[in-house]
Amino acid sequence: DTAVSQTPKYLVTQMGNDKSIKCEQNLGHDTMYWYKQDSKKFLKIMFSYNNKELIINETVPNRFSPKSPDKAHLNLHINSLELGDSAVYFCASSLLAGGPTYEQYFGPGTRLTVT
Amino acid sequence: KNEVEQSPQNLTAQEGEFITINCSYSVGISALHWLQQHPGGGIVSLFMLSSGKKKHGRLIATINIQEKHSSLHITASHPRDSAVYICAVGPPWGSSNTGKLIFGQGTTLQVKP
């Protein structure tokens, strides 16, 4: 069984469209994250939810809106896509939001290409 | 300057060589993570450590909290070790940014047969 899964794996879309990426974890973790990896492979946190509550919200355009229907799911909706949104988006989860046991488990990534 | 710096950025080695990747950080931390990203793109957590040394197979990770420095060693390197290795630090327990990892820029390792 896949621990952290994301769909879709690849997403090609045109500027101005709205798209969503879904993430699910079956590890029983309380905390989930969205990361963006740019073309230079640099990872940066975007959002984090702890048991459906938003706890980290980095400086991200408000075109990006995370939604957590339950603690096993964290979806990312992006409105009015721009060329600069092209990147790989990773979902991750951890047992707790902090402390000594927050090893993070990553999903396979979603490669978003905006044309 | 990034809060987490890795060196080298790129590394090419011959199969069998001993490899060291370094990570220095400038912030207080509760733990340091080493991650591996294979060419296929997936990210796997290799180690999480807050003191001392951990070993898993041919991989060894060490951390010196006083010097704010960690190293990842690979013994008897193999072409399948070719990947991007990423260092990340987690903020002190109880801080407002609990859980937020700060990443280094990654080290791209290529091991040639």
Side-chain angles (χ1 to χ4, degrees), chain A residues 26-50:
Chain A
N26 62 7
L27 297 166
H29 287 169
D30 291 312
T31 308
M32 297 183 73
Y33 310 83
W34 276 113
Y35 294 99
K36 181 180 180 180
Q37 186 175 46
D38 62 23
S39 57
K40 294 184 178 179
K41 299 278 193 181
F42 191 69
L43 277 160
K44 194 166 183 188
I45 183 82
M46 298 175 69
F47 301 102
S48 176
Y49 272 74
N50 186 55

Side-chain angles (χ1 to χ4, degrees), chain A residues 37 58 90 97-100 102-103, chain B residues 30 37 45 48 90 93 98-100:
Chain A
Q37 186 175 46
E58 287 296 284
F90 285 96
Y102 66 75
E103 183 174 0
Chain B
S30 57
Q37 185 172 25
S45 177
M48 183 183 68
W93 174 237
T98 299
K100 173 186 168 182

Side-chain angles (χ1 to χ4, degrees), chain B residues 23 25 49-52 62-71:
Chain B
C23 176
Y25 54 92
L49 64 166
S50 54
S51 65
T62 64
I63 188 168
N64 185 319
I65 296 293
Q66 286 73 29
E67 294 186 3
K68 296 190 173 180
H69 181 269
S70 175
S71 293

Side-chain angles (χ1 to χ4, degrees), chain A residues 70-85:
Chain A
D70 56 60
K71 74 174 194 178
H73 295 84
L74 180 61
N75 304 322
L76 183 64
H77 190 74
I78 315 170
N79 289 327
S80 303
L81 278 154
E82 300 178 357
L83 291 175
D85 298 332

Side-chain angles (χ1 to χ4, degrees), chain B residues 42-91:
Chain B
I43 297 174
V44 175
S45 177
L46 297 175
F47 295 103
M48 183 183 68
L49 64 166
S50 54
S51 65
K53 176 179 171 179
K54 286 190 176 181
K55 184 175 189 289
H56 185 256
R58 295 179 294 107
L59 301 177
I60 303 166
T62 64
I63 188 168
N64 185 319
I65 296 293
Q66 286 73 29
E67 294 186 3
K68 296 190 173 180
H69 181 269
S70 175
S71 293
L72 176 68
H73 305 287
I74 305 175
T75 61
S77 59
H78 190 276
R80 65 175 175 266
D81 296 325
S82 298
V84 176
Y85 291 84
I86 302 168
C87 170
V89 299

